[in-house]
Amino acid sequence: MDESEVQQKRRENEEQATMGRARILGLPYLDTRRFENEIPLVPDLLTVEEMHKNYMIPLQKGGGEEHYQFMVTSQTPRTVLEQMTRTYNDEGERVDFFLISGSAYKVFMLRYDPPRVVHYDDIKIAGEGDSETIASVSQTLAQVSTEKVFDFLIDQADKLGASDIHIENMRTEIRIRMRVDGLLHPVANIDKDKYRIFMGELSSRANVSAASNKPQSGHMQKEIHRDGATHMLNIRVETIPTMYGQDAVLRLFNFDESLLNLDLLGLSDEERGEINEVISHPRGLVLMVGPTGSGKSTTLYSMINALNTSDRKIITLEDPIEYGITGISQIPINTTDGGSFAEGLRSVLRLDPDVVMVGEIRDADTAKTAIQASITGHLVLSSFHANSTSAAFSRMIDLIGVNPIFSSSIRLIMAQRLVRKLADSKKARPATEAEAKYIREVLEGVPQEKLGGANLENITLYDPVKTEEDPFGYQGRTMIMEQLIVSDDIQAYIRGDVADINTDAIEETARKNGMLTLEQKGVLAVLRGDTTLEEISRVI
């Protein structure tokens, strides 16, 4: 039985019940299904407010001008019927009432009082010191109906390309900020009453408690319909009690499998070739490092998607699962409730996977288990918290110790950052003496073929130009990636062949082998006109 048949059956049952109720109330029963969408409306007999208040619909003037007919429901007060009968009779007019079902009443009311489509102004991001925009957005949010404020904020954040929505309790109001292109921007200040509604929605949708005095994590999904297309937002919800109430952060992940593609990450041919070379092998450990919000998950998922073929068994262990990908076994690991990546990894290795992704290596147990898996015929991908590839390699040695057996397990470490990309309105200018000196120092020793044709004698830089379309002079973000290929010289640090194991020594060895650091990659992006030195300084 399809949905329409279910609805018809439900309506039939309701009409039968209404027929029985009509006999009890002593009113004639009227089945309106044949004409409820076509019969002409009767204006001016009752106001819309009266129809809502008394659950009553005018039917027609029939049998002459003095004959009036109304449709009523079981919720119509008997006192109203009695009063109307007396009024019409006193004026020498006749009135009849017919009992209809609640569904019939709703159909008629949608015709008499169709829902109003309200179009609210789009949210605009305020510039520094722009209190007028904040006041304007605050006023818009105050006007949005209470049941829609939650959806409106998420929809607007998605429209702005925001990665996070921050809802923060202040003493007298609630501050809303959105993170766009990596920077937090104030959006609005709203009344505390709106926040209670917001938290109520969060409680029911993300399965968090509005009354909890402990930090909580939740998850929800929301379909976004825009310009004739639909996409799915995955939303991770984090709440924490503060002095004036629970603060909430909503992290938005635009779920679209087609976007999880290595071709869309803006990698150079060399960077893409190094990744392809490593992940095409059946075993080894690949680490992705960087701070929160640097795009680690997107890159890892894109690698997983590239490996996602029918002849491979791929399993992921995640806390929480950020993107659902067809054809992959994804296992949630609730580390806040006692679960561990190491224990989960040991369990899934019994399922004979070809590729395993571990959400994050956080301790020695997980690190050793991942490395053991990588030398026994599995390709293991994971994220790791460190500032650079060399720092990650050094920290990994701290976790697992010097071990010749493990020396060939780690094959590639990638560190990445996302920097704001200059909009097309950018303006060229010659570099200052200090800027030119800094750029030449950073790129000293880099082979000419890796400079991408950059002219280090007459250096041209670009500044952001603010326009109405791009109020900050930036539009979107671009990736800066550092790749440490674990060559024999780098393996020597794990084997114990090198006495002095530190980040600087590992980085120097990697640079001799041709690695470009994050800072060097960033400066090259500046010379290409993709971003600014200020952005590189802020992020890297």
Side-chain angles (χ1 to χ4, degrees):
M1 186 180 293
D2 61 25
E3 188 174 346
S4 64
E5 289 174 326
V6 170
Q7 296 293 344
Q8 289 172 14
K9 183 68 175 173
R10 187 176 294 148
R11 180 69 186 271
E12 176 61 31
N13 291 338
E14 186 179 0
E15 294 298 335
Q16 291 296 325
T18 304
M19 187 188 300
R21 200 171 294 119
R23 286 195 293 268
I24 296 171
L25 296 174
L27 292 171
Y29 161 71
L30 182 61
D31 186 345
T32 64
R33 281 177 288 183
R34 290 174 290 107
F35 58 83
E36 59 193 18
N37 286 305
E38 288 84 24
I39 188 172
L41 300 182
V42 182
D44 304 327
L45 271 184
L46 294 173
T47 65
V48 169
E49 289 74 18
E50 288 174 323
M51 293 184 221
H52 278 300
K53 180 182 177 183
N54 296 324
Y55 296 92
M56 178 184 290
I57 305 285
L59 178 57
Q60 63 183 1
K61 295 177 183 178
E65 286 296 318
E66 296 78 24
H67 187 185
Y68 296 88
Q69 296 177 332
F70 295 90
M71 296 177 287
V72 300
T73 74
S74 57
Q75 291 179 276
T76 304
R78 295 290 291 190
T79 53
V80 171
L81 302 186
E82 292 166 0
Q83 178 62 43
M84 288 180 70
T85 301
R86 283 196 300 271
T87 301
Y88 280 97
N89 288 343
D90 288 347
E91 296 178 4
E93 295 164 341
R94 179 181 165 191
V95 61
D96 290 322
F97 301 105
F98 299 89
L99 190 72
I100 60 172
S101 66
S103 293
Y105 168 78
K106 289 175 184 174
V107 171
F108 278 105
M109 283 310 301
L110 280 173
R111 294 183 63 199
Y112 275 100
D113 187 26
R116 295 170 181 81
V117 179
V118 181
H119 296 283
Y120 300 106
D121 292 338
D122 284 343
I123 284 178
K124 289 183 174 63
I125 294 295
E128 191 172 343
D130 183 4
S131 57
E132 285 187 16
T133 299
I134 293 176
S136 173
V137 176
S138 302
Q139 188 175 3
T140 297
L141 282 178
Q143 293 170 348
V144 176
S145 60
T146 52
E147 69 274 9
K148 291 181 180 176
V149 66
F150 184 87
D151 289 324
F152 177 72
L153 266 180
I154 293 175
D155 182 76
Q156 289 292 303
D158 177 72
K159 199 169 188 177
L160 288 166
S163 58
D164 309 327
I165 305 173
H166 292 247
I167 316 292
E168 301 160 322
N169 282 273
M170 315 290 276
R171 187 168 64 87
T172 59
E173 58 193 4
I174 304 299
R175 179 172 67 174
I176 297 178
R177 294 191 291 174
M178 293 185 184
R179 191 180 296 279
V180 180
D181 292 339
L183 282 182
L184 268 177
H185 299 282
V187 169
N189 298 315
I190 62 173
D191 188 78
K192 290 245 182 189
D193 288 342
K194 287 280 184 187
Y195 184 71
R196 282 194 283 272
I197 293 154
F198 199 94
M199 281 306 299
E201 286 290 319
L202 270 185
S203 300
S204 59
R205 296 197 199 186
N207 196 28
V208 296
S209 169
S212 176
N213 57 2
K214 295 180 180 178
Q216 300 172 91
S217 297
H219 177 264
M220 57 180 282
Q221 289 185 323
K222 177 170 169 45
E223 275 192 350
I224 300 289
H225 307 279
R226 185 173 295 115
D227 301 328
T230 299
H231 63 268
M232 181 69 75
L233 269 186
N234 267 350
I235 303 168
R236 188 197 297 177
V237 178
E238 303 290 341
T239 68
I240 191 165
T242 66
M243 183 176 182
Y244 297 113
Q246 283 195 71
D247 281 12
V249 176
L250 280 66
R251 296 198 66 196
L252 279 56
F253 300 92
N254 184 348
F255 176 68
D256 185 344
E257 277 190 48
S258 65
L259 297 177
L260 301 176
N261 188 327
L262 288 171
D263 293 332
L264 301 178
L265 297 183
L267 300 170
S268 67
D269 292 341
E270 183 182 6
E271 290 168 337
R272 177 67 190 272
E274 289 175 346
I275 291 175
N276 287 346
E277 166 65 21
V278 169
I279 67 176
S280 63
H281 283 265
R283 67 178 183 83
L285 176 63
V286 177
L287 290 178
M288 172 63 66
V289 305
T292 301
S294 61
K296 299 191 301 295
S297 295
T298 300
T299 302
L300 281 173
Y301 275 109
S302 298
M303 292 166 69
I304 285 287
N305 230 9
L307 294 164
N308 188 12
T309 56
S310 58
D311 59 342
R312 285 192 181 95
K313 173 76 170 181
I314 302 177
I315 299 178
T316 70
L317 303 165
E318 305 173 58
D319 177 24
I321 295 172
E322 291 177 5
Y323 301 98
I325 302 180
T326 308
I328 292 175
S329 301
Q330 295 174 266
I331 301 170
I333 302 293
N334 190 351
T335 55
T336 58
D337 221 18
S340 86
F341 282 116
E343 187 180 331
L345 181 56
R346 282 190 285 268
S347 298
V348 302
L349 290 177
R350 302 188 194 109
L351 303 178
D352 190 30
D354 298 293
V355 182
V356 180
M357 186 183 92
V358 181
E360 186 181 343
I361 292 177
R362 299 175 182 171
D363 52 53
D365 191 15
T366 307
K368 289 179 179 177
T369 307
I371 287 176
Q372 285 164 351
S374 71
I375 60 178
T376 55
H378 306 87
L379 178 62
V380 181
L381 311 176
S382 185
S383 68
F384 194 56
H385 272 290
N387 284 329
S388 67
T389 56
S390 305
F393 199 82
S394 175
R395 184 167 168 240
M396 184 58 70
I397 295 174
D398 288 341
L399 284 177
I400 64 174
V402 172
N403 192 321
I405 297 173
F406 290 162
S407 63
S408 63
S409 61
I410 306 175
R411 307 200 62 241
L412 172 66
I413 304 177
M414 297 177 288
Q416 72 177 51
R417 301 289 191 276
L418 294 173
V419 295
R420 289 188 297 171
K421 195 172 183 179
L422 281 167
D424 292 338
S425 57
K426 64 189 177 184
K427 182 180 178 181
R429 64 168 176 84
T432 65
E433 190 175 329
E435 289 169 336
K437 181 183 177 184
Y438 165 73
I439 290 170
R440 293 186 189 113
E441 285 177 354
V442 169
L443 296 179
E444 186 179 358
V446 175
Q448 190 64 41
E449 64 270 15
K450 291 196 174 186
L451 291 178
N455 181 358
L456 298 185
E457 296 303 317
N458 298 304
I459 299 174
T460 298
L461 301 181
Y462 295 84
D463 288 331
V465 176
K466 299 177 182 180
T467 64
E468 192 172 331
E469 292 78 20
D470 305 299
F472 299 96
Y474 295 92
Q475 190 174 59
R477 289 190 286 179
T478 187
M479 181 195 296
I480 307 295
M481 180 179 282
E482 171 183 296
Q483 291 179 316
L484 173 60
I485 302 293
V486 183
S487 62
D488 189 64
D489 291 341
I490 301 295
Q491 289 176 6
Y493 288 95
I494 297 185
R495 287 197 303 266
D497 299 346
V498 180
D500 185 19
I501 301 174
N502 63 71
T503 298
D504 292 338
I506 294 169
E507 182 175 295
E508 185 60 33
T509 303
R511 289 177 66 170
K512 285 178 182 176
N513 288 341
M515 183 189 84
L516 295 182
T517 66
L518 276 170
E519 188 176 18
Q520 289 172 330
K521 287 283 189 74
V523 168
L524 287 174
V526 170
L527 294 179
R528 289 195 302 269
D530 291 344
T531 189
T532 61
L533 284 176
E534 288 76 10
E535 265 299 284
I536 299 303
S537 174
R538 180 182 70 85
V539 175
I540 299 176

Short mmCIF file of all heavy atoms in Angstrom, two decimals, residues 108-132:
data_model
loop_
_atom_site.label_atom_id
_atom_site.label_comp_id
_atom_site.label_asym_id
_atom_site.label_seq_id
_atom_site.Cartn_x
_atom_site.Cartn_y
_atom_site.Cartn_z
N PHE A 108 -10.80 23.22 3.68
CA PHE A 108 -11.49 24.48 3.42
C PHE A 108 -10.71 25.67 3.98
O PHE A 108 -10.63 26.73 3.35
CB PHE A 108 -12.91 24.45 4.00
CG PHE A 108 -13.91 23.77 3.12
CD1 PHE A 108 -14.38 22.50 3.41
CD2 PHE A 108 -14.39 24.39 1.96
CE1 PHE A 108 -15.30 21.86 2.59
CE2 PHE A 108 -15.30 23.77 1.13
CZ PHE A 108 -15.77 22.50 1.44
N MET A 109 -10.14 25.51 5.17
CA MET A 109 -9.40 26.62 5.77
C MET A 109 -8.15 26.98 4.97
O MET A 109 -7.76 28.14 4.90
CB MET A 109 -9.01 26.31 7.21
CG MET A 109 -10.14 26.43 8.23
SD MET A 109 -11.07 27.99 8.13
CE MET A 109 -9.79 29.20 8.39
N LEU A 110 -7.52 25.99 4.33
CA LEU A 110 -6.38 26.28 3.48
C LEU A 110 -6.80 27.10 2.27
O LEU A 110 -6.00 27.87 1.72
CB LEU A 110 -5.70 24.97 3.02
CG LEU A 110 -4.77 24.29 4.03
CD1 LEU A 110 -4.31 22.95 3.52
CD2 LEU A 110 -3.57 25.19 4.34
N ARG A 111 -8.06 26.95 1.84
CA ARG A 111 -8.56 27.76 0.72
C ARG A 111 -8.96 29.16 1.20
O ARG A 111 -8.70 30.15 0.53
CB ARG A 111 -9.76 27.05 0.08
CG ARG A 111 -9.39 25.73 -0.61
CD ARG A 111 -10.60 25.11 -1.28
NE ARG A 111 -11.11 25.99 -2.35
CZ ARG A 111 -12.33 25.90 -2.87
NH1 ARG A 111 -13.18 24.98 -2.40
NH2 ARG A 111 -12.71 26.72 -3.83
N TYR A 112 -9.62 29.24 2.36
CA TYR A 112 -10.02 30.54 2.88
C TYR A 112 -8.84 31.35 3.44
O TYR A 112 -8.83 32.57 3.36
CB TYR A 112 -11.09 30.36 3.98
CG TYR A 112 -12.50 30.22 3.47
CD1 TYR A 112 -13.10 28.97 3.38
CD2 TYR A 112 -13.24 31.33 3.09
CE1 TYR A 112 -14.39 28.82 2.92
CE2 TYR A 112 -14.54 31.21 2.62
CZ TYR A 112 -15.12 29.96 2.54
OH TYR A 112 -16.41 29.82 2.06
N ASP A 113 -7.88 30.64 4.02
CA ASP A 113 -6.77 31.32 4.68
C ASP A 113 -5.46 30.63 4.32
O ASP A 113 -4.84 29.97 5.16
CB ASP A 113 -6.99 31.30 6.21
CG ASP A 113 -5.96 32.13 6.95
OD1 ASP A 113 -5.42 33.08 6.35
OD2 ASP A 113 -5.68 31.82 8.13
N PRO A 114 -5.02 30.75 3.05
CA PRO A 114 -3.79 30.06 2.63
C PRO A 114 -2.59 30.58 3.41
O PRO A 114 -2.55 31.76 3.79
CB PRO A 114 -3.68 30.41 1.14
CG PRO A 114 -4.50 31.64 0.96
CD PRO A 114 -5.60 31.56 1.97
N PRO A 115 -1.61 29.70 3.67
CA PRO A 115 -0.43 30.14 4.44
C PRO A 115 0.33 31.22 3.69
O PRO A 115 0.50 31.15 2.48
CB PRO A 115 0.41 28.86 4.57
CG PRO A 115 -0.08 27.94 3.49
CD PRO A 115 -1.52 28.28 3.29
N ARG A 116 0.76 32.21 4.41
CA ARG A 116 1.50 33.31 3.81
C ARG A 116 2.97 32.93 3.69
O ARG A 116 3.57 32.45 4.65
CB ARG A 116 1.37 34.57 4.66
CG ARG A 116 -0.06 35.10 4.74
CD ARG A 116 -0.17 36.20 5.78
NE ARG A 116 -1.52 36.70 5.89
CZ ARG A 116 -2.50 36.11 6.58
NH1 ARG A 116 -2.23 34.98 7.24
NH2 ARG A 116 -3.71 36.63 6.63
N VAL A 117 3.53 33.12 2.52
CA VAL A 117 4.95 32.87 2.32
C VAL A 117 5.72 34.14 2.66
O VAL A 117 5.56 35.17 2.01
CB VAL A 117 5.24 32.45 0.85
CG1 VAL A 117 6.73 32.24 0.66
CG2 VAL A 117 4.45 31.21 0.50
N VAL A 118 6.50 34.06 3.73
CA VAL A 118 7.24 35.24 4.18
C VAL A 118 8.68 35.14 3.70
O VAL A 118 9.35 34.13 3.90
CB VAL A 118 7.21 35.35 5.72
CG1 VAL A 118 7.95 36.60 6.18
CG2 VAL A 118 5.77 35.36 6.22
N HIS A 119 9.16 36.18 3.04
CA HIS A 119 10.54 36.21 2.56
C HIS A 119 11.35 37.14 3.45
O HIS A 119 11.10 38.35 3.49
CB HIS A 119 10.60 36.68 1.10
CG HIS A 119 9.92 35.75 0.15
ND1 HIS A 119 10.49 34.56 -0.26
CD2 HIS A 119 8.70 35.80 -0.45
CE1 HIS A 119 9.66 33.94 -1.09
NE2 HIS A 119 8.57 34.66 -1.21
N TYR A 120 12.29 36.56 4.18
CA TYR A 120 13.12 37.36 5.07
C TYR A 120 14.39 37.80 4.33
O TYR A 120 14.87 37.12 3.43
CB TYR A 120 13.50 36.55 6.31
CG TYR A 120 12.33 36.09 7.12
CD1 TYR A 120 11.92 34.75 7.10
CD2 TYR A 120 11.61 36.98 7.91
CE1 TYR A 120 10.83 34.32 7.84
CE2 TYR A 120 10.52 36.56 8.65
CZ TYR A 120 10.14 35.22 8.62
OH TYR A 120 9.07 34.81 9.35
N ASP A 121 14.93 38.94 4.72
CA ASP A 121 16.16 39.41 4.10
C ASP A 121 17.30 38.44 4.40
O ASP A 121 17.39 37.87 5.50
CB ASP A 121 16.54 40.79 4.67
CG ASP A 121 15.54 41.86 4.23
OD1 ASP A 121 14.86 41.64 3.21
OD2 ASP A 121 15.44 42.89 4.92
N ASP A 122 18.17 38.25 3.40
CA ASP A 122 19.33 37.40 3.60
C ASP A 122 20.26 38.01 4.64
O ASP A 122 20.38 39.24 4.75
CB ASP A 122 20.11 37.22 2.29
CG ASP A 122 19.41 36.25 1.35
OD1 ASP A 122 18.55 35.49 1.82
OD2 ASP A 122 19.74 36.25 0.15
N ILE A 123 20.92 37.14 5.41
CA ILE A 123 21.89 37.60 6.40
C ILE A 123 23.14 38.11 5.68
O ILE A 123 23.62 37.50 4.72
CB ILE A 123 22.26 36.44 7.36
CG1 ILE A 123 21.11 36.21 8.36
CG2 ILE A 123 23.56 36.74 8.11
CD1 ILE A 123 21.36 35.07 9.31
N LYS A 124 23.65 39.24 6.14
CA LYS A 124 24.90 39.79 5.61
C LYS A 124 25.94 39.79 6.73
O LYS A 124 25.63 40.01 7.89
CB LYS A 124 24.68 41.22 5.10
CG LYS A 124 23.85 41.31 3.82
CD LYS A 124 23.74 42.75 3.35
CE LYS A 124 23.03 42.82 1.99
NZ LYS A 124 21.64 42.33 2.06
N ILE A 125 27.18 39.50 6.34
CA ILE A 125 28.28 39.50 7.30
C ILE A 125 28.72 40.94 7.56
O ILE A 125 28.91 41.73 6.64
CB ILE A 125 29.47 38.67 6.75
CG1 ILE A 125 29.08 37.19 6.63
CG2 ILE A 125 30.68 38.83 7.64
CD1 ILE A 125 28.79 36.52 7.94
N ALA A 126 28.87 41.27 8.83
CA ALA A 126 29.27 42.63 9.20
C ALA A 126 30.78 42.78 9.12
O ALA A 126 31.54 41.87 9.48
CB ALA A 126 28.80 42.95 10.61
N GLY A 127 31.23 43.95 8.64
CA GLY A 127 32.65 44.26 8.66
C GLY A 127 33.06 44.74 10.04
O GLY A 127 32.22 44.89 10.94
N GLU A 128 34.34 45.01 10.22
CA GLU A 128 34.82 45.44 11.53
C GLU A 128 34.18 46.78 11.91
O GLU A 128 34.22 47.74 11.14
CB GLU A 128 36.35 45.57 11.49
CG GLU A 128 36.96 45.75 12.87
CD GLU A 128 38.47 45.68 12.82
OE1 GLU A 128 39.02 45.18 11.82
OE2 GLU A 128 39.10 46.13 13.79
N GLY A 129 33.57 46.83 13.07
CA GLY A 129 32.93 48.06 13.54
C GLY A 129 31.60 48.38 12.87
O GLY A 129 31.05 49.46 13.06
N ASP A 130 31.08 47.42 12.10
CA ASP A 130 29.82 47.64 11.36
C ASP A 130 28.63 47.26 12.23
O ASP A 130 28.06 46.19 12.11
CB ASP A 130 29.85 46.82 10.06
CG ASP A 130 28.62 47.06 9.19
OD1 ASP A 130 27.79 47.91 9.57
OD2 ASP A 130 28.49 46.39 8.16
N SER A 131 28.24 48.16 13.12
CA SER A 131 27.15 47.85 14.06
C SER A 131 25.79 47.92 13.37
O SER A 131 24.83 47.27 13.80
CB SER A 131 27.18 48.82 15.24
OG SER A 131 27.09 50.15 14.78
N GLU A 132 25.70 48.68 12.27
CA GLU A 132 24.41 48.81 11.57
C GLU A 132 23.97 47.48 10.97
O GLU A 132 22.80 47.11 11.05
CB GLU A 132 24.52 49.87 10.47
CG GLU A 132 24.51 51.30 10.99
CD GLU A 132 24.45 52.32 9.87
OE1 GLU A 132 24.12 51.92 8.73
OE2 GLU A 132 24.74 53.50 10.12
#
